[in-house]
Amino acid sequence: AQKVTQAQTEISVVEKEDVTLDCVYETRDTTYYLFWYKQPPSGELVFLIRRNSFDEQNEISGRYSWNFQKSTSSFNFTITASQVVDSAVYFCALGMTTDSWGKLQFGAGTQVVVTP
Amino acid sequence: DSGVTQTPKHLITATGQRVTLRCSPRSGDLSVYWYQQSLDQGLQFLIQYYNGEERAKGNILERFSAQQFPDLHSELNLSSLELGDSALYFCASSAGTSDGTDTQYFGPGTRLTVL
């Protein structure tokens, strides 16, 4: 079964602290795609990053970085030096290529609260 | 701004009624997806269209239907509405690769309230 688990329901930090969001996925596909989306209080879903299963290189993009570990089926996301504008719900999503062409399987989301 | 537009932004209606949600994809995108976000079910995939044809179906109720028109905009029709249909409905679009692996960009959503 395809499944995405975000065990952290809510994380509260003070501005400038780092925040790491956990994501664990399950899939039978050998090729798949992982995404992080952000949903600020205004409600829209904003695409942040994408990772392909065949590329385990971890990267940094500005204050965002991610750690993809295929061996543990984890795709963790870190916000460095958090800011109040980072307060949002963050969703991890799994994109599959077999049986569910184009469908994204979302996790339950992690609420991040950044206080000044 | 993702480039995906959805109208209306808010919709309030009564049980038993029928509504139509509209989505315009990003310029050049051929695939349109519909998702439902509710407190109890989270974000759920409903249906996908590619260049006018249905490509994939998820947890979409029989009371719901969708279509994609020649100009690539899409409509999601919800009928015989129930209280439980109250949710945020998202449309997303993507370029439309042959294996469905391209990135989906989401619109701002339509918040449906059924009273």
Side-chain angles (χ1 to χ4, degrees), chain A residues 103 105, chain B residues 36 41 44-47 57-61 64:
Chain A
K103 167 187 172 180
Q105 180 75 44
Chain B
Q36 179 194 60
Q41 298 288 328
Q44 297 280 321
F45 169 75
L46 295 178
I47 198 164
K57 220 166 183 176
N59 301 320
I60 187 166
L61 300 172
F64 296 0

Side-chain angles (χ1 to χ4, degrees), chain A residues 41-43, chain B residues 6-13 19-22 87-89 108-114:
Chain A
S42 50
Chain B
Q6 288 187 249
T7 56
K9 193 167 176 60
H10 301 278
L11 200 47
I12 301 175
T13 188
V19 296
T20 297
L21 312 183
R22 182 187 169 101
L88 187 53
Y89 291 84
T110 292
R111 184 165 296 282
L112 173 66
T113 303
V114 182

Side-chain angles (χ1 to χ4, degrees), chain B:
Chain B
D1 187 348
S2 67
V4 179
T5 60
Q6 288 187 249
T7 56
K9 193 167 176 60
H10 301 278
L11 200 47
I12 301 175
T13 188
T15 55
Q17 295 298 305
R18 172 189 169 95
V19 296
T20 297
L21 312 183
R22 182 187 169 101
C23 168
S24 292
R26 297 184 318 159
S27 177
D29 283 358
L30 298 178
S31 277
V32 170
Y33 311 77
W34 286 97
Y35 290 82
Q36 179 194 60
Q37 185 179 30
S38 61
L39 284 175
D40 53 344
Q41 298 288 328
L43 268 161
Q44 297 280 321
F45 169 75
L46 295 178
I47 198 164
Q48 179 201 0
Y49 280 82
Y50 172 76
N51 204 20
E53 293 188 8
E54 183 184 303
R55 272 297 179 131
K57 220 166 183 176
N59 301 320
I60 187 166
L61 300 172
E62 284 192 11
R63 300 183 286 109
F64 296 0
S65 65
Q67 53 184 327
Q68 186 179 27
F69 295 86
D71 67 352
L72 301 177
H73 90 271
S74 177
E75 292 181 357
L76 179 67
N77 300 297
L78 316 176
S79 62
S80 302
L81 285 168
E82 302 175 358
L83 295 178
D85 298 327
S86 295
L88 187 53
Y89 291 84
F90 284 108
C91 169
S93 76
S94 70
T97 58
S98 60
D99 60 1
T101 59
D102 44 346
T103 297
Q104 297 177 28
Y105 295 89
F106 285 76
T110 292
R111 184 165 296 282
L112 173 66
T113 303
V114 182
L115 302 176

Side-chain angles (χ1 to χ4, degrees), chain A residues 34-54:
Chain A
L34 294 161
F35 304 83
W36 278 97
Y37 286 86
K38 172 184 177 181
Q39 186 173 36
S42 50
E44 73 271 26
L45 270 173
V46 179
F47 165 71
L48 295 177
I49 59 172
R50 167 197 172 110
R51 204 85 204 120
N52 305 330
S53 61
F54 43 85

Side-chain angles (χ1 to χ4, degrees), chain A residues 6 21 36-39 48 64 77 79 85-92 107-112:
Chain A
Q6 294 180 254
L21 309 179
W36 278 97
Y37 286 86
K38 172 184 177 181
Q39 186 173 36
L48 295 177
Y64 298 153
F77 177 71
I79 305 170
V85 293
D86 296 326
S87 296
V89 180
Y90 291 81
F91 291 94
C92 179
T110 298
Q111 172 83 56
V112 172

Side-chain angles (χ1 to χ4, degrees), chain A residues 50-115:
Chain A
R50 167 197 172 110
R51 204 85 204 120
N52 305 330
S53 61
F54 43 85
D55 182 1
E56 288 195 65
Q57 180 181 355
N58 294 310
E59 293 183 18
I60 297 174
S61 176
R63 294 188 298 109
Y64 298 153
S65 63
W66 47 97
N67 187 348
F68 176 39
Q69 299 278 350
K70 205 168 181 178
S71 59
T72 56
S73 298
S74 66
F75 183 51
N76 298 336
F77 177 71
T78 297
I79 305 170
T80 302
S82 61
Q83 301 174 2
V84 173
V85 293
D86 296 326
S87 296
V89 180
Y90 291 81
F91 291 94
C92 179
L94 171 65
M96 298 152 285
T97 57
T98 58
D99 298 332
S100 37
W101 201 92
K103 167 187 172 180
L104 286 180
Q105 180 75 44
F106 282 88
T110 298
Q111 172 83 56
V112 172
V113 179
V114 182
T115 52

